[in-house]
Amino acid sequence: MDTNSVAARPVSYFPVSPVMLFPEALGDFSVYLWQGGDFVLYTKSGQKFTLKHRQVLHRNDVKEVYIQSSEKVQYEKYIEANLGKILLDESLPIEVRSNVFYEASTVVMQDVFDSKLPSGLRARHFNRLTDIVKNSIQFLASDNSLSAVAPFISHDYKTYTHCMHVFIYSVAVFQTYDMSDNEIFECGLGALLHDVGKAKIPRRILNKRGALTQSEREIIKEHPIHGVSMCAHLPMSQNTINCILFHHEKLDGTGYPAGLKSDNIPMPVRIISLADVYDALTTERPYAEGMDPYEALTLMRHDMRETLDMNVFKRFVAVLSGADMF
């Protein structure tokens, strides 16, 4: 194998599968092999990883290659740029594709929420999010995709992972309705961005342990309006805006910000609302332990039947059951 020795130095590496390196795709990171008790350089940063490179690894039964931890950000950008290709490559095990989808999407969502957003959601973040939605909808529509993604769903609540979960659940249910591809895209984007307005809520309130005061609850209830205002400068459809603005509306009219009732709440919004509640109940929060799925669904069925759409609930349960998620 044609490799060059690399002088030992105090650096760390992380393993990746060779199938995650695409012939002719340029990566701004170096690839290393573990040989003879040391890391050796295989391809340099800025060098195209060719089909011949992959064939050599396959012939030598190399199961893992390595990238320096200092170049992890460059690797994540490479995966994000090639995500569509990864998700539709049926030669890759669905578990591998699911892991890449979840991790790449979470990195983007974390970047969004970690950014300072005084003037709203930045166009570059918005473009990355639209790419995530476009690249993943077809994958999430495939058989067994939800059950393959399920093991990666975290039960430790963070706003950015919560948005990911609501997106995944919502798209799975959207697929059971007669929605066009464009509608699924627009509403999927709304699901992914439904809580973006929480970036404007003080963290001391979002992460507070114990009961919120009435004034703190009123501040949190402003997040749907904040979310829409943060996206006002972006090319966003009414379907997407509805999902961000109305996801806390309830069928009995007790929701916010508009107090909409029953049929005045668009169907995709009802789906997102239900997914939002389910994920909130099943993840650990500063003020409450997460419920197991059956316990959460039982609570929703018996205690929230006046506020949630029970026909959507039945489809939601069927989707979770089909993915063996409870």
Side-chain angles (χ1 to χ4, degrees), residues 24-87:
E24 306 310 317
L26 193 65
D28 292 325
F29 52 86
S30 298
V31 177
Y32 297 82
L33 306 180
W34 178 254
Q35 288 186 335
D38 199 0
F39 291 101
V40 294
L41 184 65
Y42 189 54
T43 59
K44 296 179 181 179
S45 175
Q47 176 184 355
K48 284 187 178 179
F49 187 86
T50 66
L51 182 58
K52 184 177 179 181
H53 284 122
R54 179 182 278 188
Q55 290 169 341
V56 170
L57 295 177
H58 181 72
R59 283 200 305 270
N60 287 274
D61 198 31
V62 175
K63 302 297 184 184
E64 287 184 330
V65 295
Y66 296 84
I67 296 167
Q68 288 188 11
S69 297
S70 61
E71 295 185 329
K72 186 175 183 180
V73 171
Q74 291 92 317
Y75 175 72
E76 288 172 344
K77 289 180 178 178
Y78 171 86
I79 291 297
E80 184 181 335
N82 290 280
L83 185 60
K85 186 188 300 184
I86 295 169
L87 296 183

Side-chain angles (χ1 to χ4, degrees), residues 291-305:
M291 299 180 178
D292 67 52
Y294 182 80
E295 183 183 9
L297 292 170
T298 300
L299 176 67
M300 292 166 70
R301 180 181 180 185
H302 293 295
D303 293 5
M304 302 181 187
R305 58 184 310 109

Side-chain angles (χ1 to χ4, degrees), residues 265-325:
I265 305 173
M267 179 60 70
V269 176
R270 298 187 217 175
I271 295 168
I272 292 171
S273 299
L274 197 145
D276 184 26
V277 170
Y278 176 78
D279 190 67
L281 291 174
T282 54
T283 51
E284 300 283 340
R285 294 193 176 223
Y287 52 84
E289 293 184 1
M291 299 180 178
D292 67 52
Y294 182 80
E295 183 183 9
L297 292 170
T298 300
L299 176 67
M300 292 166 70
R301 180 181 180 185
H302 293 295
D303 293 5
M304 302 181 187
R305 58 184 310 109
E306 301 302 320
T307 60
L308 297 173
D309 187 321
M310 286 295 106
N311 290 321
V312 172
F313 177 80
K314 291 175 184 176
R315 293 200 186 210
F316 185 75
V317 172
V319 165
L320 294 186
S321 178
D324 293 325
M325 293 183 70

Side-chain angles (χ1 to χ4, degrees), residues 76-142:
E76 288 172 344
K77 289 180 178 178
Y78 171 86
I79 291 297
E80 184 181 335
N82 290 280
L83 185 60
K85 186 188 300 184
I86 295 169
L87 296 183
L88 297 181
D89 186 350
E90 295 187 356
S91 69
L92 300 178
I94 193 168
E95 294 79 11
V96 171
R97 288 180 283 154
S98 296
N99 189 12
V100 171
F101 157 68
Y102 190 84
E103 290 189 359
S105 302
T106 300
V107 165
V108 175
M109 291 304 299
Q110 186 171 8
D111 282 351
V112 170
F113 279 95
D114 284 351
S115 298
K116 303 298 182 185
L117 301 172
S119 59
L121 184 66
R122 296 172 185 169
R124 66 182 180 87
H125 287 318
F126 179 72
N127 292 336
R128 293 172 72 196
L129 292 171
T130 57
D131 284 345
I132 289 289
V133 176
K134 288 175 184 175
N135 288 329
S136 61
I137 284 177
Q138 187 174 345
F139 170 70
L140 290 172
S142 62

Side-chain angles (χ1 to χ4, degrees), residues 152-271:
F152 305 109
I153 292 178
S154 168
H155 295 291
D156 180 22
Y157 180 91
K158 296 180 179 67
T159 303
Y160 59 88
T161 53
H162 168 68
C163 288
M164 272 294 305
H165 302 166
V166 171
F167 166 71
I168 292 167
Y169 294 136
S170 297
V171 169
V173 179
F174 292 161
Q175 302 285 357
T176 71
Y177 284 86
D178 186 23
M179 293 175 64
S180 69
D181 291 345
N182 192 55
E183 286 175 321
I184 292 175
F185 166 75
E186 292 175 352
C187 297
L189 182 60
L192 196 58
L193 284 169
H194 80 281
D195 266 352
V196 71
K198 285 186 176 177
K200 294 268 191 177
I201 306 298
R203 292 196 178 187
R204 63 177 177 79
I205 297 178
L206 287 178
N207 299 327
K208 181 178 179 180
R209 295 182 180 276
L212 296 174
T213 65
Q214 181 61 35
S215 62
E216 288 170 337
R217 282 196 292 271
E218 292 304 316
I219 290 172
I220 284 187
K221 287 168 69 173
E222 295 172 358
H223 78 268
I225 294 174
H226 286 318
V228 171
S229 68
M230 289 166 65
C231 299
H233 60 293
L234 298 169
M236 195 173 282
S237 73
Q238 191 62 50
N239 278 335
T240 304
I241 292 170
N242 287 346
C243 294
I244 298 171
L245 185 59
F246 298 134
H247 69 275
H248 279 292
E249 299 291 352
K250 299 179 180 179
L251 290 190
D252 63 358
T254 61
Y256 61 87
L260 299 181
K261 286 187 177 182
S262 57
D263 290 345
N264 289 322
I265 305 173
M267 179 60 70
V269 176
R270 298 187 217 175
I271 295 168

